[in-house]
């Protein structure tokens, strides 16, 4: 049986992809840090703190890459800042090209460069205005080199939504696939709108411009001031995934972001739970 390794996860994308592949009878593992404070599900735990020259992380990661028949990386930043992994991948990665794939589901240099030119969305100018440090990092020499190394080593790029649109000009880009989500993971609740409406926006530090948080905050402030007895608008973040699931049980409406056309994993989770989702 083909053994598949999903390398890292930042949004539950690989978590739910693994569940779907397992349900179809594949042998699949997810190697991840757990998305830092969120501590999401994974079958093989990766070190929480990864240094620039991290021998332990390098040896463990390389061993897994060599062990599995198919390996998919969750975006260019899957290796983090481990220079040993990047150096090995540049020198040896092409040997294993036939089994290596990149999931284009994150914000990397290619997405920002190509997207700025071709995608008719406000995300890029909003990032530049409100997340200047984050925006500059996407065009840094480090980001360019990492994208170059990764794309030279993998045999295919598999994207979704806007990320696919930014990558589709590359010859290695494969057919896009829908975002995976396990419906049973989010119990559906019939909402009762006889009480105060609770509206929620999840904060992501350093990416407020990306998500349009400044617009949502203004709208929330107006709603809270004008309709204090009808609505409660909440902005919150920095919680574990378990705490997040408990938190959104009392939420009626989720405003995820304003700058993307398609739903994110958070938006899909809200829809699966029976929430009204603004995106």
């Amino acid at each position: 049986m083909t053994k598949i390794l999903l390398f890292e996860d930042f949004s539950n994308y690989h978590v739910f992809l693994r569940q779907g592949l397992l349900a179809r009878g594949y042998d699949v593992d997810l190697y991840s840090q757990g998305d830092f404070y969120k501590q999401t599900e994974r079958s093989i735990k990766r070190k929480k703190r990864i240094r620039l020259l991290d021998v332990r992380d390098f040896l463990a990661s390389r061993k897994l890459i060599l062990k599995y028949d198919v390996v998919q990386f969750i975006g260019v930043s899957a290796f983090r800042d481990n220079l040993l992994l990047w150096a090995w991948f540049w020198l040896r990665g092409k040997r294993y090209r036939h089994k290596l794939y990149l999931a284009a589901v994150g914000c990397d240099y290619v997405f920002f460069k190509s997207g700025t030119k071709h995608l008719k969305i406000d995300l890029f100018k909003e990032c530049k205005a409100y997340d200047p440090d984050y925006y500059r990092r996407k065009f840094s020499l480090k980001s360019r080199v990492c994208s170059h190394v990764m794309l030279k080593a993998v045999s295919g790029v598999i994207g979704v939504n806007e990320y696919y649109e930014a990558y589709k000009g590359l010859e290695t880009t494969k057919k896009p696939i829908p975002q995976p989500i396990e419906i049973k993971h989010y119990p559906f609740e019939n909402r009762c709108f006889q009480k105060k409406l609770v509206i929620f926006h999840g904060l992501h530090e350093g990416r407020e411009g990306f998500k349009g948080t400044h617009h949502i905050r203004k709208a929330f402030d107006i709603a809270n001031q004008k309709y204090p007895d009808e609505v409660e608008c909440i902005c919150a973040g920095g919680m574990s995934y378990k705490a997040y699931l408990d938190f959104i049980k009392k939420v009626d409406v989720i405003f995820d972001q304003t700058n993307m056309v398609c739903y994110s994993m958070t938006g899909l989770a809200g829809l699966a739970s029976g929430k009204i989702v603004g995106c």
Side-chain angles (χ1 to χ4, degrees), residues 145-160:
V145 170
C146 288
S147 287
H148 177 75
V149 171
M150 183 65 76
L151 290 174
K152 284 292 184 181
V154 300
S155 63
V157 177
I158 302 172
V160 298

Side-chain angles (χ1 to χ4, degrees), residues 107-119 123-124 135 138-139 144 147 165-167 170:
C107 301
D108 54 28
Y109 168 68
V110 173
F111 175 66
F112 267 73
K113 180 187 177 184
S114 177
T116 301
K117 294 180 180 179
H118 304 300
L119 295 178
L123 182 148
F124 307 103
Y135 184 85
K138 298 305 171 184
F139 290 94
R144 295 169 187 242
S147 287
E165 293 297 321
Y167 267 89
L170 302 178

